[in-house]
Structure formats: structure tokens, C-alpha cells
């Protein structure tokens, strides 16, 4: 997910992963910036598979996803966006000069959603430079496995709730443009492809 300014103030299947507790902090380094796939790559429309084991390979992917997200720059990233069809999302809702708040969720499941809705102008690293207002619940409760293999349950509100819902959508093959009107979606996609053509022609 790409950052956009606030306008105002689903359930997935859960699979508990096996855990490799050797070197639990290994995911912090080394790090590599990964290529981010964009429309119309079919991976973006494919539901991701559950992570069965939290091991060094998973932690390395997480580290690389954080590096990629920060470099983009973005505030959220799902594994399918780097062509890895697994249920992992990373995010950071810190803004401005605030200290970073990196958060990773493995096999996230949204357990409940509140009744109060929130509209946010969302963007996506897989549909760069395109934005649209999306309405989602302001409050959710999400269950997930962390990078140490521990099962967590966490309430999220405001921007963080929006990011989690946006990234969990990615794990289900859903994009933020699926939440807007058909007309608005078609116009945005046409604009996106035109921008790509113009950029390619300028090279």
C-alpha cells in the first residue's frame, strides 16, 4: 500500500504455521530490494497459500519485504506483490518524523470488524501513481503469527486497520480498485496503462 492523506475519520482462513525457533532474529539481515509486480500480472489475482513453517527463509523474505516497502516508498506490502504467493504482509503506519513501527503478520485472519466506517485515499505499489477513496471498517481485530512464530491477536484502528485490510485483500487476490465503482475502476485502469505506455515511449 502506498501512503495517501486521510479523508476522514472479511474473513480469511487461518493456518497455524510450524515454527523454526533457531536464530529468531535472523530476519533483520541481510536485506535486498525485490522487484514489485504490477497489473496485469496474474499473481495479483491469485489467492496466496498459507505459510506452513516460520523458518529462516520466511524471515529472509520478511526482511527483504520491509526493505522493498521502505524503498518504494510505501506503508504496506504483501508477499504476492513481490511474486511470492504466500500469506505474509508487512507494514508501518508511522508518519512524518515518527519512529518507525514495522509490523509483520503471517497467515493473518481478520476476526471481526466494527460498524464505524472510515474513508481513506488508498494507493497501491502494484498500481503505482493511482489513488481512489476506499471505505473500510475503522476498527478490526486480527489474528496472525509473528516473525518469531508466536500466535498474536491484535485490535487495529484508523490507518493501521486500513493498511491491514488492504494487505489482507492482496492475499486473497483482491485489489483496492475492486472496492470502487466499475466506472471509476475502468477509468483508473485506463489511466494506469496510458501512463505506462507514455513512460515506455519516453525511454
Amino acid at each position: 500500500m502506498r501512503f495517501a492523506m486521510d479523508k476522514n475519520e472479511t474473513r480469511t482462513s487461518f493456518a497455524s504455521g510450524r515454527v523454526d525457533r533457531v536464530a529468531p532474529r535472523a530476519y533483520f539481515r541481510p536485506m535486498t530490494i525485490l522487484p514489485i509486480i504490477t497489473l496485469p500480472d496474474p499473481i495479483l489475482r491469485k489467492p496466496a497459500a498459507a505459510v506452513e513453517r516460520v523458518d529462516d527463509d520466511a524471515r529472509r523474505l520478511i526482511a527483504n519485504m520491509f526493505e522493498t516497502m521502505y524503498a518504494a516508498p510505501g506503508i504496506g506490502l504483501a508477499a504476492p506483490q513481490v511474486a511470492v504467493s504466500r500469506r505474509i504482509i508487512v507494514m508501518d503506519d508511522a508518519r512524518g518524523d515518527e519512529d518507525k513501527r514495522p509490523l509483520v503478520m503471517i497467515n493473518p485472519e481478520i476476526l471481526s470488524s466494527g460498524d464505524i466506517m472510515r474513508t481513506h485515499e488508498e494507493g497501491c505499489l502494484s498500481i503505482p501513481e493511482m489513488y481512489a477513496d476506499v471505505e473500510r471498517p475503522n476498527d478490526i481485530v486480527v489474528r496472525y503469527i509473528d516473525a518469531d512464530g508466536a500466535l498474536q491477536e491484535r485490535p487495529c484502528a484508523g490507518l493501521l486497520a486500513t493498511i491491514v485490510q488492504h494487505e489482507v485483500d492482496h492475499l486473497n487476490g483482491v485489489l483496492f480498485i475492486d472496492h470502487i465503482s466499475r466506472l471509476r475502476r475502468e477509468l483508473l485502469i485506463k489511466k494506469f496503462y496510458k501512463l505506462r505506455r507514455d513512460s515506455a515511449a519516453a525511454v
Side-chain angles (χ1 to χ4, degrees), residues 43-140:
I43 293 177
L44 294 172
R45 290 302 191 178
K46 178 183 176 182
V51 175
E52 296 180 354
R53 186 177 183 87
V54 183
D55 56 14
D56 283 347
D57 286 341
R59 296 184 185 105
R60 189 175 302 111
L61 172 61
I62 291 165
N64 291 341
M65 287 175 62
F66 272 119
E67 187 79 351
T68 303
M69 180 189 76
Y70 286 127
I75 56 175
L77 186 69
Q81 292 180 272
V82 292
V84 179
S85 192
R86 292 293 182 270
R87 302 186 77 82
I88 300 175
I89 61 176
V90 300
M91 64 211 85
D92 190 331
D93 67 339
R95 302 170 69 173
D97 296 329
E98 296 176 347
D99 292 338
K100 290 182 178 179
R101 294 191 291 266
L103 176 62
V104 57
M105 296 182 178
I106 301 168
N107 297 341
E109 177 187 7
I110 297 174
L111 301 177
S112 63
S113 303
D115 295 329
I116 297 174
M117 304 300 288
R118 176 181 188 274
T119 298
H120 186 85
E121 186 181 46
E122 296 187 20
C124 180
L125 297 174
S126 292
I127 320 176
E129 308 308 322
M130 300 295 111
Y131 300 91
D133 286 348
V134 178
E135 187 179 62
R136 301 181 188 268
N138 184 71
D139 302 273
I140 63 171

Side-chain angles (χ1 to χ4, degrees), residues 154-171:
R154 175 176 183 149
C156 302
L159 179 60
L160 182 58
T162 294
I163 299 171
V164 172
Q165 291 171 89
H166 179 110
E167 302 307 332
V168 169
D169 271 355
H170 272 300
L171 303 184

Side-chain angles (χ1 to χ4, degrees), residues 134-189:
V134 178
E135 187 179 62
R136 301 181 188 268
N138 184 71
D139 302 273
I140 63 171
V141 176
V142 58
R143 183 170 61 190
Y144 61 96
I145 297 170
D146 66 21
D148 292 323
L151 184 62
Q152 305 285 351
E153 191 169 305
R154 175 176 183 149
C156 302
L159 179 60
L160 182 58
T162 294
I163 299 171
V164 172
Q165 291 171 89
H166 179 110
E167 302 307 332
V168 169
D169 271 355
H170 272 300
L171 303 184
N172 297 324
V174 175
L175 302 175
F176 82 96
I177 57 175
D178 298 331
H179 294 282
I180 62 179
S181 71
R182 179 178 177 179
L183 176 60
R184 175 67 175 140
R185 179 166 61 252
E186 289 175 350
L187 291 173
L188 189 147
I189 291 173

